[in-house]
Amino acid sequence: MNKVITEEEFLSSYNIHEFDIPLTSVDMAIFTVIDQQLKALLVKRSQHPAKGEWALPGGFINIHEDKSLDDTVRRKLAEKTGVDTSHLEQVQTFGNAMRDPRGWSVTIAYMALISADNIQLIADESSEQVEWITIENNQHLSLAFDHNDILNACYKRLKSKVQYTSLPINLLPATFTLTELQKTFEIILGSSIEKKSFRKRLLDADIVVETGDFRIGSNRPAKLYKAKKSGKEHLFPRSIQGSK
């Protein structure tokens, strides 16, 4: 008769290495807007495998430091950009025996949105270069591993969610004009939006507030706004309509 053991006894003698464990990592598409273009952050790898090739930022989970996948992603984001983000979103899991020559691997893909203001890109021991690449040129890229597929999946998610959320606010600095916000929506959508309906949509949602300051330019001063606490993740009741 088999001895009945408690769960505590079972776990105390359990050896996780009795089974093969796949490599587990996170990779992220970090998006921003620079010079009125949507860009993603890429790193040129300085280590094997795929040494000298461009890839998305990411890395292996540190089981001693990271309490969650989000912790891993925020750690890697800080290592490459020196900043955190108000919007971090898990997009898809990729895994098979062929995506990494080191062995069976799984990566969890994330999308991060940040403002380009005051960002200083950081190349560490794993990367020769770190650069923003325009998304419009994405089809011409040949990224390491399956990172083209990951970048495409994240871009598709972003473009879809912009139609019914306020996510583009996360790509702007703390204060912005409504024209700058509308332009950011249009850059991602790839189409123009009727100005009056866009502003009504924003103001009806009550997700931005005037700061009392103005942007001084060649035209008349423009009011500066900032997002309310709930404004960066707002869901609109209807999808946005671009102009015909």
Side-chain angles (χ1 to χ4, degrees), residues 122-140:
I122 304 164
D124 56 20
E125 70 279 357
S126 67
S127 53
E128 295 178 9
Q129 294 174 246
V130 186
E131 291 187 10
W132 293 110
I133 304 297
T134 303
I135 286 297
E136 287 184 0
N137 299 329
N138 179 29
Q139 63 268 29
H140 305 299

Side-chain angles (χ1 to χ4, degrees), residues 56-238:
L56 293 172
F60 292 115
I61 296 164
N62 186 323
I63 61 173
H64 303 292
E65 293 183 19
D66 306 327
K67 294 182 179 180
S68 69
L69 290 171
D70 283 7
D71 287 346
T72 306
V73 177
R74 292 188 185 279
R75 176 171 57 83
K76 289 297 177 180
L77 177 63
E79 288 174 1
K80 288 294 185 286
T81 68
V83 301
D84 200 350
T85 176
S86 57
H87 183 80
L88 192 66
E89 179 175 338
Q90 192 176 130
V91 175
Q92 189 174 333
T93 300
F94 295 78
N96 57 53
M98 292 78 67
R99 63 176 305 273
D100 191 318
R102 289 169 288 192
W104 219 108
S105 71
V106 173
T107 194
I108 299 88
Y110 275 78
M111 172 176 74
L113 306 180
I114 65 174
S115 166
D117 275 20
N118 302 316
I119 294 295
Q120 289 192 340
L121 300 182
I122 304 164
D124 56 20
E125 70 279 357
S126 67
S127 53
E128 295 178 9
Q129 294 174 246
V130 186
E131 291 187 10
W132 293 110
I133 304 297
T134 303
I135 286 297
E136 287 184 0
N137 299 329
N138 179 29
Q139 63 268 29
H140 305 299
L141 296 174
S142 179
L143 301 182
F145 311 113
D146 53 359
H147 287 194
N148 275 95
D149 294 337
I150 295 173
L151 180 56
N152 286 332
C154 292
Y155 176 48
K156 184 177 179 181
R157 171 73 65 85
L158 174 61
K159 195 166 184 178
S160 172
K161 293 194 76 169
V162 164
Q163 297 180 49
Y164 60 91
T165 73
S166 62
L167 288 189
I169 290 178
N170 295 277
L171 298 167
L172 291 169
T175 62
F176 48 85
T177 68
L178 294 187
T179 298
E180 289 168 343
L181 181 55
Q182 179 176 337
K183 182 61 180 178
T184 303
F185 272 83
E186 292 173 337
I187 287 168
I188 301 170
L189 288 169
S191 62
S192 59
I193 306 168
E194 201 278 318
K195 179 178 177 180
K196 185 177 180 180
S197 63
F198 177 79
R199 296 196 172 199
K200 185 177 186 303
R201 176 184 179 89
L202 279 182
L203 298 177
D204 285 351
D206 193 29
I207 58 175
V208 297
V209 61
E210 294 181 21
T211 66
D213 297 322
F214 293 82
R215 176 92 71 226
I216 307 299
S218 57
N219 299 319
R220 67 180 184 178
K223 291 180 180 180
L224 285 172
Y225 291 78
K226 64 180 180 180
K228 291 187 174 182
K229 187 173 181 180
S230 61
K232 294 186 175 185
E233 306 284 340
H234 183 76
L235 295 176
F236 295 109
R238 296 183 301 277

Side-chain angles (χ1 to χ4, degrees), residues 42-59:
L42 295 182
V43 300
K44 191 173 185 180
R45 292 176 57 81
S46 63
Q47 299 174 349
H48 295 297
K51 183 177 180 180
E53 295 184 35
W54 288 97
L56 293 172

